[in-house]
Amino acid sequence: MSDQERILCIGEILWDSLPSGLYLGGAPLNVCYHLNQFNINAIIASRVGDDRLGKEAIRRIERKGISSDLIQQDHKHETGFVSVELSSQGDPQYDIIEPVAWDFIELDNQLQQVVQNCWGIVFGTLAQRDSESRDTIQKLWDSDAKKILDMNLREPFIDRKIIHDSLTAADVVKMNEEELNQLKDWFSLSGRTRKTVEKLTTKFGTSVFCITRGANGAMLFRDGDWFEHMGFPAKVKDAVGAGDAFLAALLYGIKNNKETYNLLSLANATGAFVAQKDGATPAYSLEDILNEIE
């Protein structure tokens, strides 16, 4: 598979401390993992500490068949760590430690070379909370790759300018309903979801805008047309990683020119499948997801 088919995921690598145990995560890493489950050549760019958790993170990433070539090692800052509490519905609440290694991702020669040949770049807003990682991510926007924004707003790390700049750069946007409501307040938008999204795509020039709605599926506005899928029933264990799996499946569909309703169905099925498992990166294959749809 050529480098031009590759997707670069950049941002946080961290450990989620859940009631059921310690899980390696971070939205960009999760998306990278799920893309690889869909046989897409995805690579993660991040930074971990020169500590036990950092070494274990790299070991586990490599064991999953994901390249660690773009994971930098920080001798000053520790590997990212998050305490996660789950509601009775399985929805996560996060306590994200700072500063940590992924706040200091450097734009080195290797990263610059890789991005020039990528199909797409997946990035979020959380990894831009510190100026160094933010500068690195934003400089990558100068490449010809598709820019894919996975919003992931996490209090207290919410900055309107960063979000405005990220939306301006993005070709594809994924966010949930709560995040969309935040944007409505910031940009003084009124009206229902569809009208709000249409105004945002006009303002920022986005070609694909997807709103996830948890158990109620998702809505997608693509090149002027609306698509909606009501989702699949799921007995949720924890919702950590479900949105990341959804995005990976969505990108698989876009990249392979699938019909929009079909790719939305696949994305919902993948999110529901992962929500029924412990942790953000359970083992599965594309065939497993297709069986869920049938």
Side-chain angles (χ1 to χ4, degrees), residues 45 54 74 90 152 155 167 215 271:
D74 194 308
N152 281 335
E155 291 283 3
L167 286 165

Side-chain angles (χ1 to χ4, degrees), residues 94-162:
Y94 304 92
D95 181 15
I96 307 171
I97 306 303
E98 65 168 334
V100 290
W102 57 260
D103 286 312
F104 302 94
I105 303 169
E106 298 176 357
L107 185 63
D108 58 21
N109 289 334
Q110 187 176 16
L111 181 54
Q112 291 183 77
Q113 290 172 4
V114 167
V115 75
Q116 295 307 319
N117 295 311
C118 283
W119 178 86
I121 305 167
V122 176
F123 67 96
T125 50
L126 177 59
Q128 298 182 63
R129 67 181 183 178
D130 185 272
S131 61
E132 185 156 358
S133 287
R134 180 168 66 249
D135 289 347
T136 295
I137 291 169
Q138 294 190 3
K139 285 174 181 174
L140 296 180
W141 295 344
D142 292 334
S143 75
D144 293 330
K146 291 183 184 298
K147 268 65 77 176
I148 301 131
L149 171 60
D150 185 15
M151 186 65 76
N152 281 335
L153 297 185
R154 298 284 184 265
E155 291 283 3
F157 310 110
I158 298 176
D159 184 291
R160 289 180 60 174
K161 184 179 188 308
I162 289 172

